[in-house]
Structure formats: C-alpha cells, structure tokens
Amino acid sequence: SVFLLLQSCLGMVVDGAEQRVTFERPVLPEFLPEIVLKRLQVGRGSVDIRIRRYPHDVGITVLDRRDNVEVVVLK
C-alpha cells in the first residue's frame, strides 16, 4: 500500500492513546518534493501536516491541530 510505504519513509508512528504523531529520521524520495497530510486522525484529535524535502533535510510544519495533538520530530 502507498500509505504504508510513505509511513515507512517518514518514520511515522501514530499513538492515539497519547495523541501523538512521531516522525523519526523522516526522508522523502527525490521524486516527491512535498506532501500534505490533512485531517490525520490521532486519538480524539486530528492534525494537518506539510512535509517538505530540502537538499539535506526534511521540514515538517503543522498547518492545523485539533484537540492538542502533539507532533514530535526526531532527527
């Protein structure tokens, strides 16, 4: 599935009980410069996130957050 491949590249773990999304050493392939995840359900809340590839890094921006969802990036 495409979602599982993306989840693996981003090192994304969704913890609904803790209302937390963690990205561990995220990477995006060269052919995918940016992706936006909208209404990602995390426990009772949800979050909109923009993930953008840069030459030597990946940036993660929280665009919208509902019900105190925590976003953690580990590089």
Side-chain angles (χ1 to χ4, degrees):
S1 156
V2 173
F3 182 73
L4 290 176
L5 181 60
L6 180 63
Q7 186 178 10
S8 177
C9 287
L10 297 174
M12 184 173 75
V13 177
V14 178
D15 184 343
E18 296 294 324
Q19 293 209 178
R20 179 182 309 125
V21 181
T22 303
F23 295 90
E24 188 169 346
R25 290 181 294 238
V27 295
L28 282 175
E30 274 191 40
F31 67 86
L32 189 61
E34 178 180 290
I35 188 162
V36 176
L37 304 175
K38 292 190 174 189
R39 294 182 216 83
L40 178 64
Q41 196 69 37
V42 184
R44 296 180 315 270
S46 64
V47 66
D48 295 350
I49 301 171
R50 176 186 298 126
I51 303 150
R52 185 175 290 166
R53 184 175 46 78
Y54 295 98
H56 302 288
D57 199 7
V58 171
I60 296 179
T61 305
V62 176
L63 302 173
D64 192 20
R65 179 187 335 237
R66 293 165 215 75
D67 201 16
N68 294 324
V69 174
E70 181 182 13
V71 178
V72 177
V73 181
L74 305 172
K75 294 189 177 190

